[in-house]
Amino acid sequence: MKLLFLDEAAIWLTQPNTYSWRPIQQPLRVPTSKARGIRARLNLMGVVEYGSGTVFYREIEGNTTGQAVVDFIEVLAADANPECPTVVLVDRASVHTCSAVNQQRKRWQGLGLIIAHLPAYSPELNDMEPQWRHLKYQELPERHYQNKTDLRRAVGGANWGIAI
């Protein structure tokens, strides 16, 4: 059996500053982006494989929807094998429990891919959460990007996951 943890994350042009310093008597200047909403972030969806720690991800155009979840899981289902099932653990976000996803569950199960839900309000049980933190705070050391193209290039160049 293959076990995958699925989750989504937004990576903003201006990442939070968790630590900073400045010379005495000099003002601290932190660049920020004037972009707002979807123009100011990349929406990503990804899975991490339990055991190997391999991350697979893709950018979601626009806001994350149930159809975006279906499209991502379709890619995973293409590699599923009924003789060795793939279990995808998801949280209880509305995009994971919507009708678009629920309508495909039986078909995916026939392909060898099973969707299972984590307990409510338990992000600590989702192994994808630490992967997002690692990407944001270790793999993307720049705290500010001029535009989405630069941010997309940084995410793609990070030694972190495989784009699918």
Side-chain angles (χ1 to χ4, degrees):
M1 177 172 62
K2 185 193 291 188
L3 184 60
L4 303 173
F5 292 86
L6 184 143
D7 196 29
E8 303 80 27
I11 301 180
W12 295 85
L13 293 177
T14 302
Q15 295 289 318
N17 272 340
T18 57
Y19 176 79
S20 131
W21 67 273
R22 66 176 174 78
I24 295 174
Q25 305 264 333
Q26 290 188 13
L28 177 64
R29 289 191 172 86
V30 178
T32 62
S33 171
K34 293 183 183 196
R36 295 289 178 256
I38 195 66
R39 296 180 334 192
R41 70 180 189 265
L42 288 181
N43 285 333
L44 301 176
M45 185 174 298
V47 294
V48 60
E49 184 176 355
Y50 182 78
S52 74
T54 305
V55 173
F56 300 95
Y57 73 95
R58 73 165 31 171
E59 182 179 347
I60 303 301
E61 292 296 327
N63 293 319
T64 304
T65 63
Q67 188 58 51
V69 173
V70 168
D71 294 344
F72 187 75
I73 293 176
E74 285 292 335
V75 174
L76 303 175
D79 290 333
N81 178 355
E83 294 181 19
C84 181
T86 298
V87 176
V88 180
L89 291 168
V90 297
D91 59 26
R92 294 183 184 272
S94 61
V95 295
H96 301 151
T97 60
C98 69
S99 62
V101 173
N102 287 333
Q103 289 172 2
Q104 301 298 323
R105 289 172 69 117
K106 283 187 179 180
R107 188 177 64 78
W108 289 331
Q109 192 166 355
L111 297 172
L113 186 136
I114 300 162
I115 304 294
H117 292 279
L118 292 165
Y121 307 106
S122 57
E124 70 281 1
L125 298 178
N126 191 334
D127 284 0
M128 192 61 205
E129 293 286 353
Q131 298 296 331
W132 293 130
R133 273 193 303 282
H134 179 75
L135 172 64
K136 290 177 181 182
Y137 296 105
Q138 273 76 46
E139 295 294 332
L140 299 177
E142 297 289 324
R143 304 316 300 156
H144 175 72
Y145 295 89
Q146 292 297 320
N147 52 54
K148 277 178 79 167
T149 303
D150 291 346
L151 179 56
R152 191 177 287 119
R153 189 176 304 119
V155 169
N159 186 19
W160 168 77
I162 300 166
I164 58 172

